[in-house]
Amino acid sequence: MAEKRLLVIAPIGLEGRDLRDEIESRAGGDAAEVRLVFPAVTQSKVKAVMGDIDDAIGDAQDRLDESTDGLRSDRISVSAKVGDTDPMIAAEDELGQFAADEVLIVTHPEREADWFEEDLFERIAERVEPPVTHVELRGGGDGLVETEHSSPGLSRDEPGDEEVELSENLPPFSKRDLLGIIVAIVG
């Protein structure tokens, strides 16, 4: 059987062994190729908007180093990197380079979620083609538990409900992207 290809978006720190167990169960005993992305999330929306991300990049690199060590095994090959400050953009960027069979999102439990984790599963599931699975850290950081799973989503060629297609020669834009373009042009 072919190797399972998983894109893991982890905007929070996690134990590599916990993630390895989750991936091995998803691969069903077969080999898995994992692309692990740690978005450089900031402590506040203001810092993210202002581009104050230097500390966030360092923190993401530290989380990446700690988690990657415990993840590798005989059946799991891993490549890892720091991604965009917005976990959704980090997922979209990486899917352009890595043809994943599934996207796995790791977050805190809802009651402990940070601002960047709010509706993250829904936002990513609406905008990407592979199925998306949401897993949360269990209370006390003791392993992972699946909370939500989506079926395959949009084709990259189809605009979503929140997207605008300006031309067949351009990709669909979100309303937020269009606003950013207008602000950049007008100044």
Side-chain angles (χ1 to χ4, degrees), residues 109-184:
E110 188 174 343
R111 67 187 176 283
E112 300 171 20
D114 286 314
W115 69 270
F116 50 82
E117 296 173 289
E118 293 174 10
D119 301 323
L120 182 58
F121 168 78
E122 291 83 5
R123 291 185 297 138
I124 291 177
E126 288 175 357
R127 297 212 28 174
V128 302
E129 188 172 351
V132 178
T133 300
H134 178 207
V135 295
E136 293 179 348
L137 288 174
R138 284 190 180 132
D142 184 26
L144 300 170
V145 61
E146 180 177 327
T147 61
E148 302 170 279
H149 181 77
S150 76
S151 56
L154 291 177
S155 162
R156 291 192 172 272
D157 299 329
E158 299 174 25
D161 292 341
E162 296 295 318
E163 295 181 318
V164 177
E165 188 168 350
L166 299 176
S167 163
E168 60 186 54
N169 296 324
L170 295 171
F173 291 98
S174 70
K175 292 175 184 175
R176 179 179 167 199
D177 291 340
L178 286 175
L179 180 61
I181 292 169
I182 292 168
V183 168

